[in-house]
């Protein structure tokens, strides 16, 4: 029986038989990337200092090499220092080696930065950057000459609520990018809720339970198209229910009605699925579509979120990272609703003793199936003798997607980085060395960031696609791509922000196994236009310009 | 008494009443009066304690209670009477029993005995606050004694105060490290505190002490499942099923472990066995529905859950599961309504 089964798998699923060994190498030092996260913990253990900061893969100079922006923390604002030393930092990627160009670019930000949203909001061909903060948020415009300017004449964008993940997306299909900011808790420095926990008969200061704190409403800004933005949160319906503790955001079109919706991972309260009802209004449909809570009916501690077609059925599934003693949760998109299939896909048990933050959908072996990386680390730090049960630093995880049927944890075989406990936070994906394999960058709390180069050896290839919108926003965020190789269909999204506080490289890499080309790619643009391109090979990058394909 | 003197006066002729004789008579009278006092005290005053004992010998508890009440009325400081009376009243009138016991002063050598009885009575009759006070007094007087520590741990645990229970359970475990039950209690406290990862060590210790400790094995299976160790959970669940093949909780853990390990057919088989033992078990039915949803059979999942509607229409977990199955089966309006009811029930519970 087993022999028969193996034979069957060899015939139907060649990727199983020709298993590449996923391998990542920590090349942080070699790449001259010396970013160190700074978030000094206070004796009172102020919660936001544990939440970490984000990162963004962004091609700041349009040289086709993805550069890397790191958000930076800051000391608790009891004393304002005149010359703060710790800014966000921008590293330019020059042929796979990084150089800190923060000063050259003039991209200083000394606030406690959290999330990143990369998007060309003015459609000038250069990616811009929005950064949320514990403090005022900032919009930075890419001047296109290697320098950046903060947009200072739009104070509405400098909202001071505790912002977390944020993303660009054209919600009204007018061809320019609007902006969604997930806000977390109300934690003003002068009225900061402080709590303590008992462990081993002693009390230790620690963050207060988010469910019992004051939550903040999220914000939706409409891009007016003239460089100005309007806060439309109220009229869009975001205040139609109680505020939630938002941390993660993902933009996609789960109801397939050709406009963009938002999924928000909220901490300890119901997640939200803001379904775009058109006319600039949104309705939270999370409960009835099965993504507000997990399969046990429990609202989990949503941290990061990512989406992609996990099982090859052409629909975008969702994956949310959660708290220690919860699972990270995989919601399979079944069309009319989502189903929690975490345990069935082998993702439940391995995540119960982890606290997940960043999560990247990365096809590590280019077999066309999306694998999952998770950055882990707790938000409570105890003295070493008490850490036995709730470790602050935790092992990161890598799960290999077995033909859309199940995930297998391969962390311990995936390279030295996966053998060391770290306090992982944000993670983002890019092919930074342009070898056709997706790599990872990871932020660690109060520790050096890491770049993991994908050194997986296989005969598999990938096709790289960059979408250029003309009627749609130039970045085509939320565009839906359906690739075909023979009978196989591979679906990818042009993602907005993903993971936890992060932005992946905007280009899309599609693993095609041992094939040498995609037969076709059909793109459903945010504008509503659907068109296709044929025979896309593995060499270079395919820049697909809206309006220049074969109309469908 | 007033009638007796004249009688004697009459018995002695007045002519014979000389001064010395008068004195002698007076002494005799005083002696007699004293004797009469003594006699009356010895033979005429009732001995209530004795009466109570006799009544108890006869099986007449009411009479015993009455006698002891009289004794306490006569001697409000009688510790013995209070202890005996409290014992007699502990079932019929626990409040009164506790009141008598509480009257025994701190300085009394029997105070500790009385407080012990108070604690027992209060625990038996769900007087949490009084029990806590009594047990804390006992613990203060005898900090290294197992009883008070363990009782406090159990008391807090029973009253959903696991954080308060934990230090006492820890202490009880250190005082009597050979008592397996204490380690089970510790594990249950950790579970209540949503720390299943901390259940494992005390349960392993309980099993080391008593290898055939069934509840410890079952709890360990649960803890391994909760902490993402399905193979270990399976091993413990199988141990339980060898002892009790009808243990539905163990069958469900086997099903969960099989699901985690990707063996869905085995999971379904375990659930089928469980349903033969307890056809209406909610947890098993929900798990069965989850597996059906995974197999993209939402209508079947919905129908299997719907069968339990009458018995679980007020159960939040059930309604949530039914709502999810309904939504997947395309019954969105019904799903919305079920979610509304869940919200309402949760609000009521607050």
């Amino acid at each position: 029986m087993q022999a028969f089964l193996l034979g069957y798998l060899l015939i139907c699923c060649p990727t199983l038989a020709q298993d590449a060994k996923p391998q990542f190498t920590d090349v942080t030092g070699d790449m001259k990337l010396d970013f160190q996260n700074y978030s000094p913990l206070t004796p009172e253990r102020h919660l936001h200092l544990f939440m970490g900061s984000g990162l963004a893969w962004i091609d700041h100079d349009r040289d086709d090499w993805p550069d890397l922006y790191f958000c930076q923390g800051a000391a608790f604002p009891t004393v304002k220092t005149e010359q703060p030393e710790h800014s966000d930092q921008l590293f330019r990627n020059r042929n796979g080696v990084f150089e800190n160009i923060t000063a050259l670019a003039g991209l200083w930000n000394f606030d406690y930065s959290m999330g990143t949203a990369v998007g060309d909001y003015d459609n000038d061909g250069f990616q811009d950057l929005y950064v949320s903060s514990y403090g005022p948020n900032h919009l930075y415009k890419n001047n296109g000459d290697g320098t950046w300017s903060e947009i200072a004449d739009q104070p509405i964008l400098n909202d001071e609520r505790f912002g977390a993940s944020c993303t660009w997306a054209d919600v009204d299909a007018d061809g320019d990018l609007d902006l969604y900011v997930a806000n977390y808790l109300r934690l003003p420095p002068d009225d900061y809720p402080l709590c303590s926990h008992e462990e081993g008969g002693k009390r230790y200061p620690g963050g207060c339970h988010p469910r019992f704190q004051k939550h903040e409403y999220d914000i939706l800004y409409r891009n007016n198209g003239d460089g100005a933005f309007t806060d439309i949160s109220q009229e869009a319906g975001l205040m139609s229910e109680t505020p939630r503790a938002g941390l993660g955001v993902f933009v996609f079109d789960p109801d397939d009605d050709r406009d963009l919706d938002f999924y928000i991972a909220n901490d300890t309260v119901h997640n939200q699925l803001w379904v775009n009802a058109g006319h600039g209004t949104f309705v939270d449909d999370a409960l009835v579509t099965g993504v507000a809570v997990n399969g046990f009916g429990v609202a989990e501690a949503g941290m990061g979120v990512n989406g992609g077609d996990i099982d090859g059925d052409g629909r975008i599934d969702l994956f949310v990272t959660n708290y220690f003693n919860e699972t990270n949760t995989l919601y399979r998109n079944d069309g009319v609703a989502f189903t929690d299939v975490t345990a069935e896909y082998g993702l439940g048990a391995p995540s119960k003793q982890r606290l997940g933050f960043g999560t990247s959908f990365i096809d590590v072996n280019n077999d066309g199936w999306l694998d999952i990386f998770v950055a882990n680390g707790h938000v409570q730090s105890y003295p070493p003798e008490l850490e036995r049960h709730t470790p602050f630093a935790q092992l990161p995880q890598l799960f290999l997607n077995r033909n859309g049927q199940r995930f297998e944890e391969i962390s311990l075989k995936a390279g030295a980085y996966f053998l060391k406990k770290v306090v992982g936070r944000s993670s983002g994906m890019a092919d930074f060395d342009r070898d056709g394999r997706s790599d990872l960058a990871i932020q660690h709390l109060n520790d050096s960031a890491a770049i993991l180069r994908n050194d997986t050896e296989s005969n598999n290839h990938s096709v790289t696609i960059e979408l250029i919108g003309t009627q749609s926003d130039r970045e085509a965020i939320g565009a839906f791509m359906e690739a075909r190789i023979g009978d196989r269909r591979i679906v990818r999204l042009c993602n907005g922000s993903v993971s936890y506080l992060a932005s992946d490289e905007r280009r899309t890499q599609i693993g095609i196994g041992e094939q040498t080309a995609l037969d076709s790619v059909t793109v459903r643009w945010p504008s509503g236009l659907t068109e296709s391109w044929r025979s896309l090979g593995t060499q270079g990058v395919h820049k697909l310009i809206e309006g220049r394909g074969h109309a469908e | 008494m007033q009638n007796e003197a004249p009688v004697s006066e009459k018995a002695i002729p007045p002519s014979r009443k000389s001064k010395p004789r008068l004195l002698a008579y007076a002494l005799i009278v005083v002696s007699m009066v004293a004797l009469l006092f003594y006699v009356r005290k010895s033979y005429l005053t009732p001995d209530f304690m004795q009466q109570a004992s006799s009544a108890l010998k006869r099986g007449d508890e009411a009479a015993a209670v009455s006698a002891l009440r009289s004794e306490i009325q006569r001697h409000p400081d009688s510790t013995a009477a209070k202890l005996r009376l409290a014992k007699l009243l502990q079932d019929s009138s626990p409040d009164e029993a506790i009141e008598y016991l509480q009257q025994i002063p701190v300085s009394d050598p029997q105070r500790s005995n009385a407080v012990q009885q108070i604690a027992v009575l209060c625990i038996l009759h769900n007087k949490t606050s009084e029990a806590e006070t009594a047990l804390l007094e006992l613990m203060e007087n005898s900090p290294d004694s197992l009883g008070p520590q363990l009782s406090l741990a159990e008391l807090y645990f029973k009253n959903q105060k696991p954080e308060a229970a934990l230090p006492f359970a820890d202490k009880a475990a250190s005082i009597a490290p050979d008592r397996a039950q204490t380690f089970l209690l510790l594990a249950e406290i950790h579970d209540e505190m949503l720390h299943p990862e901390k259940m494992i060590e005390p349960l392993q210790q309980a099993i080391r002490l008593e290898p055939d400790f069934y509840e410890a094995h079952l709890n360990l299976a649960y803890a391994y499942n909760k902490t993402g160790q399905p193979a270990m959970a399976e091993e413990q669940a199988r141990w339980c099923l060898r002892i009790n093949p009808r243990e539905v909780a163990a069958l469900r853990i086997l099903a969960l472990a099989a699901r985690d390990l990707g063996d869905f057919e085995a999971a379904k088989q375990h659930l089928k066995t469980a349903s033969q033992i307890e056809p209406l078990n909610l947890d098993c039915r929900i798990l069965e529905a989850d597996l059906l949803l995974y197999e993209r059979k939402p209508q079947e999942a919905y129908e299997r859950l719907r069968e339990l509607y009458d018995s679980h229409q007020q159960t939040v977990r059930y309604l949530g599961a039914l709502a999810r199955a309904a939504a997947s089966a395309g019954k969105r309006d019904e799903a919305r309504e079920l979610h509304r009811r869940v919200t309402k029930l949760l609000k009521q519970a607050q």
Side-chain angles (χ1 to χ4, degrees):
Chain A
M1 180 64 193
Q2 272 185 332
F4 166 75
L5 187 64
L6 185 61
Y8 169 75
L9 291 173
L10 282 166
I11 295 162
C12 93
C13 317
T15 50
L16 255 188
Q18 297 148 15
D19 234 0
K21 283 186 186 160
Q23 197 64 214
F24 284 89
T25 308
D26 185 343
V27 293
T28 315
D30 300 343
M31 297 298 123
K32 300 189 171 20
L33 195 130
D34 58 353
F35 178 79
Q36 170 87 19
N37 176 255
Y38 175 78
S39 183
L41 307 180
T42 55
E44 299 88 354
R45 296 296 195 252
H46 292 91
L47 178 63
H48 79 273
L49 299 170
F50 284 86
M51 299 306 289
S53 294
L55 61 85
W57 286 102
I58 179 169
D59 187 2
H60 113 107
D61 50 6
R62 281 193 64 182
D63 65 351
D64 281 348
W65 291 84
D67 309 302
L68 191 49
Y69 181 88
F70 284 108
C71 291
Q72 181 59 289
F76 187 77
T78 43
V79 183
K80 285 273 182 194
T81 49
E82 283 189 7
Q83 281 189 309
E85 293 172 355
H86 301 276
S87 167
D88 296 3
Q89 289 177 33
L90 176 64
F91 290 83
R92 184 180 177 204
N93 179 353
R94 302 189 75 170
N95 303 328
V97 177
F98 290 87
E99 176 192 1
N100 191 332
I101 57 158
T102 312
L104 276 174
L107 202 43
W108 298 110
N109 177 6
F110 295 99
D111 287 321
Y112 196 108
S113 300
M114 292 289 293
T116 60
V118 173
D120 182 4
Y121 80 92
D122 51 3
N123 289 327
D124 66 353
F126 289 90
Q127 293 184 317
D128 307 298
L129 181 65
Y130 188 76
V131 179
S132 68
S133 303
Y134 174 76
N137 302 337
H138 304 281
L139 172 61
Y140 298 101
K141 177 179 160 47
N142 186 337
N143 298 324
D145 59 359
T147 66
W148 293 71
S149 305
E150 181 174 2
I151 300 301
D153 61 349
Q154 292 284 312
I156 194 173
L157 295 171
N158 306 125
D159 191 87
E160 296 213 15
R161 281 171 280 183
F162 186 0
S165 294
C166 44
T167 191
W168 296 101
D170 181 5
V171 299
D172 46 12
D174 63 353
D176 52 37
L177 287 170
D178 309 298
L179 178 64
Y180 190 103
V181 184
N183 283 322
Y184 189 41
L185 302 176
R186 192 173 303 170
L187 304 173
D190 53 353
D191 188 22
Y192 206 109
L194 296 169
C195 295
S196 63
H197 310 275
E198 188 161 319
E199 273 291 333
K202 284 185 186 171
R203 291 207 78 80
Y204 296 91
C208 301
H209 196 297
R211 188 183 305 152
F212 307 114
Q213 305 309 303
K214 290 177 182 163
H215 303 158
E216 295 281 20
Y217 280 112
D218 295 348
I219 315 172
L220 181 61
Y221 295 106
R222 185 181 60 221
N223 185 340
N224 299 340
D226 57 359
F229 287 82
T230 306
D231 181 348
I232 57 164
S233 315
Q234 176 89 45
E235 63 206 74
L238 301 192
M239 296 176 179
S240 59
E241 52 189 32
T242 53
R244 311 278 165 89
L247 284 176
V249 61
F250 186 76
V251 59
F252 68 139
D253 181 18
D255 55 352
D256 213 15
D257 65 349
R258 313 298 160 104
D259 55 24
L260 293 174
D261 312 312
F262 296 101
Y263 181 69
I264 314 300
N266 292 313
D267 193 357
T268 70
V269 290
H270 286 186
N271 300 324
Q272 292 156 308
L273 179 62
W274 289 112
V275 173
N276 193 335
H279 318 293
T281 58
F282 289 79
V283 176
D284 179 11
D285 230 1
L287 256 181
V288 82
T289 49
V291 288
V293 293
N294 67 6
F296 292 94
V298 174
E300 298 178 295
M303 304 289 192
V305 57
N306 218 320
D309 181 11
I310 287 299
D311 54 355
D313 67 354
R315 301 190 188 104
I316 301 300
D317 312 297
L318 289 169
F319 183 69
V320 181
T321 54
N322 292 308
Y323 205 69
F324 199 78
N325 279 327
E326 296 175 342
T327 67
N328 296 330
T329 302
L330 176 63
Y331 299 98
R332 186 185 64 200
N333 186 343
D334 288 341
V336 289
F338 288 79
T339 302
D340 177 349
V341 292
T342 310
E344 287 83 356
Y345 270 80
L347 294 166
S351 63
K352 284 180 178 172
Q353 295 290 286
R354 300 278 198 282
L355 199 167
F357 273 94
T359 179
S360 298
F361 277 16
I362 176 171
D363 181 359
V364 295
N365 51 3
N366 280 331
D367 64 354
W369 296 104
L370 291 171
D371 311 301
I372 298 179
F373 168 82
V374 183
N376 296 306
H378 214 292
V379 291
Q380 309 278 3
S381 71
Y382 293 114
E385 66 273 17
L386 294 175
E387 277 223 337
R388 204 159 40 101
H389 294 299
T390 49
F392 190 39
Q394 300 178 3
L395 292 175
Q397 289 172 298
L398 186 63
F399 297 92
L400 195 64
N401 186 337
R402 294 295 192 184
N403 301 300
Q405 303 294 307
R406 192 170 165 83
F407 286 90
E408 178 193 345
E409 184 174 3
I410 55 162
S411 314
L412 299 180
K413 297 179 279 186
Y417 173 80
F418 291 90
L419 302 176
K420 187 185 161 201
K421 290 183 177 180
V422 289
V423 185
R425 293 296 186 257
S426 184
S427 71
M429 182 179 70
D431 177 13
F432 82 87
D433 54 0
R434 295 299 186 227
D435 66 353
R437 294 173 289 191
S438 296
D439 312 293
L440 287 166
I442 303 123
Q443 271 255 37
H444 305 121
L445 186 72
N446 284 316
D447 204 347
S448 308
I451 286 206
L452 302 186
R453 188 180 64 209
N454 185 346
D455 287 338
T456 303
E457 287 187 13
S458 77
N459 295 322
N460 295 343
H461 308 111
S462 65
V463 172
T464 305
I465 293 173
E466 183 178 330
L467 300 181
I468 300 173
T470 53
Q471 299 169 55
S472 307
D473 66 276
R474 197 180 190 285
E475 302 252 288
I477 289 174
F480 185 89
M481 289 168 269
E482 186 176 296
R484 294 270 176 186
I485 323 174
D487 292 339
R488 189 170 176 193
R489 172 178 58 175
I490 301 174
V491 158
R492 293 289 183 268
L493 272 187
C494 179
N495 280 329
S497 300
V498 292
S499 181
Y500 173 70
L501 312 174
S503 303
D504 286 348
E505 182 182 12
R506 184 70 13 90
R507 285 179 175 181
T508 302
Q509 214 153 27
I510 303 178
I512 56 170
E514 293 187 356
Q515 306 293 319
T516 51
L518 285 173
D519 294 341
S520 68
V521 172
T522 301
V523 179
R524 205 163 71 210
W525 298 89
S527 65
L529 181 67
T530 300
E531 52 188 344
S532 59
W533 283 261
R534 299 191 203 289
S535 297
L536 285 80
T538 56
Q539 297 300 311
V541 56
H542 298 276
K543 299 197 176 189
L544 308 186
I545 300 171
E546 187 178 16
R548 297 200 189 166
H550 300 283
E552 291 283 310
Chain B
M1 282 291 282
Q2 278 179 337
N3 293 334
E4 287 172 13
V7 170
S8 31
E9 288 285 329
K10 279 181 185 173
I12 302 162
S15 57
R16 293 170 68 183
K17 289 184 180 172
S18 64
K19 217 174 183 179
R21 288 182 95 183
L22 271 174
L23 186 63
Y25 282 134
L27 281 172
I28 288 164
V29 168
V30 168
S31 302
M32 283 179 71
V33 167
L35 184 65
L36 280 171
F37 261 120
Y38 172 76
V39 168
R40 176 159 185 162
K41 191 164 176 73
S42 303
Y43 297 100
L44 301 180
T45 308
D47 182 341
F48 294 124
M49 293 297 277
Q50 186 60 44
Q51 282 180 15
S53 297
S54 305
L56 282 176
K57 272 182 196 161
R58 293 194 308 273
D60 186 353
E61 269 196 18
V65 166
S66 172
L68 289 167
R69 283 190 206 282
S70 303
E71 175 65 13
I72 292 166
Q73 203 172 7
R74 186 192 298 159
H75 292 123
D77 296 333
S78 172
T79 297
K82 287 174 183 169
L83 284 170
R84 289 179 71 180
L85 182 55
K87 199 169 181 186
L88 287 171
L89 292 173
Q90 65 185 16
D91 294 326
S92 58
S93 182
D95 287 346
E96 207 182 345
I98 291 166
E99 206 179 308
Y100 280 119
L101 290 167
Q102 281 171 335
Q103 288 170 10
I104 295 169
V106 175
S107 55
D108 193 297
Q110 290 294 322
R111 170 70 181 183
S112 170
N113 184 15
V115 177
Q116 271 185 35
Q117 287 189 49
I118 291 170
V120 170
L121 280 174
C122 291
I123 290 168
L124 283 172
H125 296 282
N126 294 322
K127 295 176 176 299
T128 308
S129 162
E130 292 92 333
E132 182 186 8
T133 308
L135 288 169
L136 286 170
E137 183 180 330
L138 287 173
M139 192 206 62
E140 240 172 64
N141 293 335
S142 180
D144 291 326
S145 167
L146 174 66
Q149 300 280 357
L150 193 57
S151 300
L152 275 165
E154 287 173 345
L155 181 77
Y156 289 129
F157 176 66
K158 260 176 61 181
N159 289 281
Q160 278 99 45
K161 291 180 181 171
E163 289 87 355
L166 185 59
F168 296 106
D170 269 332
K171 177 81 177 177
S174 70
I175 292 169
D178 295 336
R179 189 177 181 275
Q181 283 283 353
T182 310
F183 291 96
L184 175 63
L185 174 65
L186 257 176
E188 288 182 330
I189 290 168
H190 286 306
D191 184 34
E192 200 69 17
M193 292 170 74
L194 307 178
H195 283 298
E197 77 279 8
K198 295 181 183 175
M199 296 175 72
I200 292 170
E201 282 177 17
L203 289 169
Q204 287 171 333
Q205 179 64 10
I207 291 169
R208 266 194 292 275
L209 292 167
E210 279 184 32
D212 293 335
F213 192 176
Y214 184 84
E215 286 77 12
H217 283 281
L218 190 57
N219 272 273
L220 190 53
Y222 164 88
Y224 279 137
N225 169 63
K226 279 276 184 184
T227 53
Q229 302 175 72
M232 306 286 274
E234 183 182 342
E235 188 184 322
Q236 293 301 319
R238 287 198 187 283
W239 186 95
C240 294
L241 287 164
R242 279 198 293 276
I243 307 295
N244 177 14
R246 295 178 62 80
E247 181 62 79
V248 169
L251 284 165
R252 181 172 170 271
I253 289 170
L254 275 189
L256 287 166
R259 182 176 69 158
D260 276 334
L261 296 167
D263 190 348
F264 306 129
E265 287 311 311
K268 283 191 268 187
Q269 189 54 49
H270 295 311
L271 290 174
K272 192 175 171 189
T273 308
S275 75
Q276 285 158 0
I277 299 164
E278 268 185 50
L280 302 180
N281 183 289
L282 178 61
D283 288 332
C284 289
R285 189 65 67 92
I286 289 176
L287 182 52
E288 184 191 337
D290 285 348
L291 285 166
L292 288 167
L293 287 173
Y294 163 69
E295 292 174 334
R296 301 182 197 266
K297 297 175 182 168
Q299 184 62 30
E300 213 175 312
Y302 170 79
E303 282 164 13
R304 289 291 286 155
L305 286 171
R306 200 75 177 75
E307 289 168 12
L308 301 189
Y309 185 80
D310 288 342
S311 45
H312 289 290
Q313 54 184 297
Q314 299 295 319
T315 308
V316 166
R317 177 155 155 59
Y318 168 75
L319 292 174
L322 184 62
R324 285 189 293 280
S328 293
K331 304 171 195 301
R332 287 172 71 89
D333 290 342
E334 183 178 345
R336 279 186 210 284
E337 177 53 30
L338 288 163
H339 281 303
R340 266 194 286 273
R341 283 176 48 198
V342 167
T343 308
K344 195 175 164 189
L345 284 171
L346 287 173
K347 274 186 186 160
Q348 282 171 357
Q350 286 169 359

